[in-house]
Amino acid sequence: MPTPAPAKDPADTSLRKQVYDSLREALTAGRFAPGQKVTFRYVAGALGVSLTPVREALRRLVAEGAFEMHPNRSVRVPLMTRNKVMELRDMRMALEGLAAGKAALLATRDQIAGIRRAAREIIAARSRGDSITDRQKVREFHFALYAAAGQPMLLRVIEGLWLQTGPYMNLLYPDFISSPRGPAGRVKIIEALQARDAASARREIENDIRRALSYVADLADEAGNIAPARPTAGKRRRNTPTGTTAFELQAH
Amino acid sequence: MPTPAPAKDPADTSLRKQVYDSLREALTAGRFAPGQKVTFRYVAGALGVSLTPVREALRRLVAEGAFEMHPNRSVRVPLMTRNKVMELRDMRMALEGLAAGKAALLATRDQIAGIRRAAREIIAARSRGDSITDRQKVREFHFALYAAAGQPMLLRVIEGLWLQTGPYMNLLYPDFISSPRGPAGRVKIIEALQARDAASARREIENDIRRALSYVADLADEAGNIAPARPTAGKRRRNTPTGTTAFELQAH
DNA sequence: CCTCCGGATTTGTGATCACAAAAATGCATT
DNA sequence: AATGCATTTTTGTGATCACAAATCCGGAGG
């Protein structure tokens, strides 16, 4: 039973961790609107826990940049301006390029096989228009690659950057993924791994990230407004749980 | 009055922030021994606050990698192995090189002046053997440079990496800083800024970090894994606590 | 209709309590 | 003296309470 989530620490059953995972999952799944205010008591109510674990989970996500806390001490989902996306793009190019280069030098046969399998599953999902598993497998492909670099601290930082870009990667669908060069880049990466060609692996990853994030950046204007859905102009009266975007809770 | 500390959010007077700053400062000042256990109640007692703000501050530092939490749910100061230092070295080279390159393209005349001033103060402090202000000014030099890149998210990540390497940078003193190429590198960086030469600025920063962190990495086996460690020896567990370094509190 | 101001409500912060897991301690047995 | 086991102490976790700052809301005055 391969769980899609990294499941980094299966032994941690603390409520704090559960809240953290729930929020993180909801964030990457785009279940929070950019700019939306998130109160401690709302999350606590939605998940049926007290404030204590919610505070710690939310604060950690703030420290990781997944949420941001304003001087008015209110927590919101960050708005992405074009400049911010470009900044994340450059950081990701630098670090994921570094990881890909290391991976090319160190990847075992089994690891390469896993990466190739993820690449195949991306093509399969994409061919049948399943954008959900598409995104999931893209993530799997990348992190299987970076894990092969054998640098856990680097992996953590990269995960943090993905968490920040996560909500906005939905914007790549369905238009961007129709681009012809998508699969070709991954093929080249796998070839680079087999050839132990670090420079090539690095270059291909950098190109991949540059293309995708530049595309996203062009969709974000300076105000942080993004094309799809969410007019958001209208004021919300009370943040009754029905008014805001659903943060579907799993009962406890 | 330029306060040496970044003072990112002067308005935040919460106890949590104060505890966070105290711990961070104590950590970079080397007032915690690597591997030392840090309990919530100890910190709370030392600073005269309740557990609540301590928990949140410590957890944030764990999220940032400044401390690490073991599966036994005990918080400790991380031990740096040689591999970890090398990993941090490569990450810092990538990100700080990126920042330096951007800074070369964007730095204003005033910003360059500030960077040059920090460089002069490094030389002054070093010539009179004042390693405390030496380190402080080195930090100032680097972050003035990176701030000129105008990329706040990048700056945050770099700060996180410095926080992790911080306790071990004491190892550079007093031997390493006698190395002849130290001042020359900074001169070249400033020249690169004036010439708007991004590639050169990047290369010089990378060289600087490579030299310093490689030096630390070679010491890490002894410093990180505690002195004894006969390669063939058996258990020899008990990392003699070195008498619990003082975490000097400021009363409240 | 807009602005400003008052109180009522919401919301983050910090302290305290109760509890369970983990570590430390003491004691008896071999 | 060394080892196994039960007890006590320490320590992290989560819930709850009290409080102050921020926000919201409605009405008076322009």
Side-chain angles (χ1 to χ4, degrees):
Chain A
M1 292 290 285
T3 53
K8 185 192 298 181
D9 198 347
D12 189 353
T13 61
S14 64
L15 283 184
R16 174 192 346 118
K17 186 75 189 325
Q18 295 178 33
V19 173
Y20 174 81
D21 289 338
S22 295
L23 287 172
R24 185 174 172 128
E25 196 275 333
L27 206 50
T28 62
R31 230 171 306 147
F32 285 117
Q36 177 182 349
K37 184 165 70 175
V38 179
T39 67
F40 291 178
R41 284 175 172 83
Y42 166 63
V43 176
L47 271 62
V49 298
S50 80
L51 288 180
T52 311
V54 172
R55 285 208 285 190
E56 300 189 354
L58 253 182
R59 291 207 164 285
R60 173 172 173 187
L61 288 164
V62 168
E64 291 172 345
F67 291 91
E68 61 183 19
M69 167 155 281
H70 292 242
N72 351 332
R73 58 180 198 175
S74 70
V75 176
R76 311 190 91 95
V77 180
L79 290 177
M80 276 292 157
T81 64
R82 177 185 158 82
N83 279 339
K84 281 185 175 179
V85 177
M86 300 287 271
E87 207 180 327
L88 283 169
R89 183 198 66 178
D90 293 340
M91 280 195 272
R92 286 189 49 187
M93 283 173 60
L95 291 184
E96 297 177 39
L98 174 63
K102 296 276 182 191
L105 300 178
L106 295 176
T108 67
R109 191 170 305 275
D110 285 352
Q111 287 171 325
I112 295 178
I115 295 166
R116 185 186 287 109
R117 182 169 49 79
R120 275 200 306 265
E121 289 172 333
I122 292 172
I123 296 176
R126 194 160 295 183
S127 71
R128 61 177 196 272
D130 182 353
S131 65
I132 300 288
T133 44
D134 186 349
R135 278 195 60 184
Q136 187 176 328
K137 294 302 177 184
V138 166
R139 183 186 171 94
E140 222 169 288
F141 173 86
H142 279 264
F143 279 95
L145 173 63
Y146 306 146
Q151 307 218 341
M153 311 181 91
L154 175 56
L155 198 60
R156 266 181 41 134
V157 178
I158 292 176
E159 273 185 22
L161 295 180
W162 275 65
L163 189 57
Q164 293 181 61
T165 51
Y168 287 84
M169 295 308 278
N170 284 318
L171 300 176
L172 294 177
Y173 300 83
D175 287 344
F176 178 79
I177 49 104
S178 318
S179 165
R181 276 184 42 99
R186 280 184 289 275
V187 168
K188 283 190 188 170
I189 289 172
I190 294 173
E191 288 171 353
L193 294 181
Q194 289 173 318
R196 292 269 181 265
D197 185 346
S200 173
R202 176 195 199 97
R203 178 169 15 92
E204 291 303 326
I205 276 287
E206 285 177 349
N207 285 340
D208 181 64
I209 297 171
R210 184 185 355 256
R211 288 198 313 132
L213 272 291
S214 298
Y215 179 88
V216 172
D218 287 340
L219 294 176
D221 64 7
E222 287 313 307
N225 294 330
I226 310 293
R230 304 291 160 238
T232 69
K235 51 174 58 178
R236 307 192 184 283
R237 336 195 135 273
R238 309 189 145 260
N239 62 346
T240 53
T242 59
T244 58
T245 47
F247 167 50
E248 313 227 339
L249 60 116
Q250 41 267 40
H252 280 68
Chain B
M1 290 301 286
T3 52
K8 186 191 295 180
D9 197 346
D12 189 352
T13 62
S14 64
L15 283 184
R16 174 193 345 117
K17 186 75 188 327
Q18 296 177 33
V19 174
Y20 174 82
D21 289 338
S22 295
L23 287 171
R24 184 174 172 128
E25 196 274 332
L27 206 51
T28 62
R31 230 171 307 146
F32 285 118
Q36 178 181 351
K37 184 164 72 174
V38 179
T39 67
F40 290 178
R41 283 175 173 85
Y42 166 63
V43 176
L47 271 63
V49 298
S50 78
L51 288 179
T52 312
V54 172
R55 286 208 285 190
E56 300 188 355
L58 253 181
R59 291 207 164 284
R60 174 171 172 189
L61 288 165
V62 168
E64 291 172 346
F67 291 91
E68 62 184 18
M69 168 156 279
H70 292 242
N72 351 333
R73 59 182 197 173
S74 71
V75 176
R76 312 189 90 95
V77 181
L79 291 178
M80 276 291 159
T81 64
R82 177 185 158 82
N83 279 340
K84 281 184 175 178
V85 177
M86 300 286 271
E87 205 180 328
L88 283 168
R89 182 197 67 177
D90 293 341
M91 280 194 273
R92 285 190 49 187
M93 283 173 61
L95 291 183
E96 297 177 38
L98 174 65
K102 296 277 184 192
L105 301 178
L106 296 175
T108 67
R109 190 170 307 274
D110 285 352
Q111 286 171 325
I112 295 178
I115 294 166
R116 185 187 289 108
R117 182 170 50 79
R120 275 200 307 266
E121 290 171 334
I122 292 172
I123 295 176
R126 194 160 296 184
S127 70
R128 63 177 195 273
D130 183 353
S131 65
I132 301 288
T133 44
D134 186 351
R135 277 196 59 184
Q136 186 176 329
K137 294 303 179 182
V138 166
R139 183 186 171 95
E140 223 169 289
F141 174 85
H142 279 264
F143 279 96
L145 172 63
Y146 307 146
Q151 307 218 343
M153 312 180 90
L154 176 56
L155 198 59
R156 267 179 43 130
V157 177
I158 292 176
E159 274 185 20
L161 296 179
W162 276 63
L163 189 57
Q164 293 181 62
T165 51
Y168 287 83
M169 296 309 276
N170 285 318
L171 300 177
L172 294 178
Y173 300 84
D175 288 344
F176 178 80
I177 49 105
S178 319
S179 166
R181 276 184 44 97
R186 280 184 287 276
V187 168
K188 283 191 188 171
I189 289 171
I190 293 173
E191 288 172 354
L193 294 181
Q194 289 173 318
R196 292 268 181 265
D197 185 345
S200 173
R202 177 196 199 96
R203 179 168 16 91
E204 291 303 326
I205 277 287
E206 285 177 349
N207 286 340
D208 180 63
I209 297 171
R210 186 188 350 258
R211 287 197 313 130
L213 272 291
S214 298
Y215 179 87
V216 172
D218 287 339
L219 272 56
D221 279 342
E222 313 169 20
N225 288 341
I226 313 299
R230 301 288 175 271
T232 62
K235 14 203 62 178
R236 185 63 120 74
R237 290 302 272 175
R238 287 299 168 227
N239 57 342
T240 54
T242 70
T244 64
T245 48
F247 166 51
E248 314 226 340
L249 59 117
Q250 42 263 46
H252 279 70

